[in-house]
Amino acid sequence: MSDLRDPAPYDALLLLSFGGPEGPDDVVPFLANVTRGRGIPEERLKEVGQHYFLFGGVSPINAQNRALLDALREDFADHGLDLPVYWGNRNWAPYLTDVLREMTADGHRRIAVLATSAYASYSGCRQYRENLAESLSALEAEGLDVPRVDKLRHYFNHPGFVEPMVDGVLASLADLPEDVRAGAHIAFTTHSIPTSAADASGPVEAHGEGGAYVAEHLDVARLIIEAVRAETGVEHPWQLVYQSRSGAPHIPWLEPDICDHLETLGAQGVPAVVMAPIGFVSDHMEVLYDLDTEATAKAAELGLPVRRSATVGDDPRFAAAVRDLVLERAASERGRAVERCALGSLGPSHDLCPVGCCPARAPKPAAAGADSPFA
């Protein structure tokens, strides 16, 4: 095997995701998992679950992760990368602890982890690392010889993540009526998070207003706008906006909300809008409901033509990017000098989350970082 295709020291890849219900009976137990420790009553969970019940109680995220698994396995096989790929979730089957137990039983000792979250934040990075630590501790308590896990770097600015989104925006613009196309605005959307969490996202040196979370999204938005301008000759007005807020009203979260933004644009006489969900890897429930259902209904109420561009999903370029991330990290772990693919102004993210990166709401052990309790 060529050194360029050598995944050593890694002997497996774990796709780590959020999870979602796969039927009506799963919805409330799933939401109980997501909100564990917050004391939310079952009746409130049933209210929140209405988004899922509108779609038969099924979140598309698990099917989308299965498709991504297939794409990764196909890409790895096509490029001679002998690395088995597993999949585990934080909040629904297949559960992370069960999958790590299976991987341990299969003899895997050094595992690369790809989280289905491209950006720095507590919920998008450190919380996954906390979940890994919890699962490894559970296996250790069972007397197992736990493997080492290394989380792959943030890939928000990798070409294999950005280029499919560029194509999605171009396709959405082309689908608009010709008389409104040139004047269309682009609303880049991502998950709203508390402003305090955004301000503390990324390494300590990145902390400040919006932190790394906002800075990384803005960098991707600029990359897409420039690519669209180069392709079409039009520089569309744009803004980073937010969706899927779920917190208490008195806690400040990132704004503006996509629906509020559509109202503002409608009042300004903007002829059309493309909603580009750059904060999401796949078309899961928050895209399906918050954009395709709620925001699209708001636009119809305003008489505002809208299109929603595609997420990356199982695009072959994204699968190739994951292969690149694995091999890059493997070579670095072997002491090789590595050229890391990254577009935009921020450069490639760190391999190892430093101390103080996306700090926890309350101190909890987190694996795969400089402060990991596991070697």
Side-chain angles (χ1 to χ4, degrees), residues 117-295:
S117 177
Y119 300 86
S121 70
Y122 172 77
S123 57
C125 183
R126 185 176 177 95
Q127 192 170 14
Y128 282 105
R129 294 176 46 225
E130 291 177 354
N131 297 143
L132 286 165
E134 289 169 3
S135 294
L136 292 174
S137 293
L139 299 187
E140 193 173 58
E142 295 172 11
L144 298 178
D145 185 14
V146 300
R148 173 170 166 176
V149 298
D150 290 335
K151 183 178 176 291
L152 299 175
R153 67 176 172 92
H154 301 303
Y155 45 85
F156 64 93
N157 56 3
H158 194 288
F161 186 69
V162 175
E163 289 168 4
M165 293 191 293
V166 171
D167 288 349
V169 172
L170 288 170
S172 292
L173 286 167
D175 192 48
L176 284 168
E178 188 173 358
D179 61 332
V180 299
R181 188 178 304 151
H185 284 225
I186 314 297
F188 293 104
T189 77
T190 190
H191 205 299
S192 184
I193 61 175
T195 57
S196 59
D199 295 347
S201 59
V204 172
E205 61 270 20
H207 293 178
E209 187 174 356
Y213 185 74
V214 171
E216 290 169 0
H217 282 87
L218 288 173
D219 211 39
V220 171
R222 294 184 190 105
L223 284 167
I224 294 172
I225 284 294
E226 178 56 30
V228 169
R229 185 203 62 76
E231 180 68 24
T232 66
V234 179
E235 186 161 348
H236 292 270
W238 64 276
Q239 187 168 338
L240 177 63
V241 300
Y242 303 92
Q243 62 176 90
S244 312
R245 174 181 173 143
S246 58
H250 68 281
I251 297 175
W253 282 52
L254 292 173
E255 297 177 335
D257 176 78
I258 177 61
C259 289
D260 294 338
H261 183 60
L262 292 175
E263 286 190 342
T264 298
L265 295 183
Q268 293 172 352
V270 168
V273 178
V274 168
M275 300 182 293
I278 61 172
F280 305 91
V281 171
S282 65
D283 290 1
H284 55 62
M285 184 57 70
E286 288 172 317
V287 176
L288 196 65
Y289 181 80
D290 295 340
L291 295 184
D292 294 356
T293 304
E294 191 174 46

Side-chain angles (χ1 to χ4, degrees), residues 15 48 50 77 85-86 95 104 108 122 126 149 175 177 189 192 196 203 206 242 256 284 316 324 351:
L15 176 67
V48 174
Q50 291 306 311
V85 186
Y86 294 73
Y95 287 104
T104 300
H108 298 300
Y122 172 77
R126 185 176 177 95
V149 298
D175 192 48
T189 77
S192 184
S196 59
Y242 303 92
H284 55 62
D324 182 56
D351 278 343

Side-chain angles (χ1 to χ4, degrees), residues 359-370:
R361 300 164 186 168
K364 290 179 75 174

Side-chain angles (χ1 to χ4, degrees), residues 1 7 20 47 70 98 105 141 152 171 176 198 204 215 254 327 331 365:
M1 177 182 288
E47 292 176 20
D70 290 342
D98 296 336
L152 299 175
L176 284 168
V204 172
L254 292 173
L327 293 176

Side-chain angles (χ1 to χ4, degrees), residues 9-23:
Y10 299 112
D11 53 29
L13 172 69
L14 171 62
L15 176 67
L16 177 55
S17 193
F18 192 81
E22 299 199 81

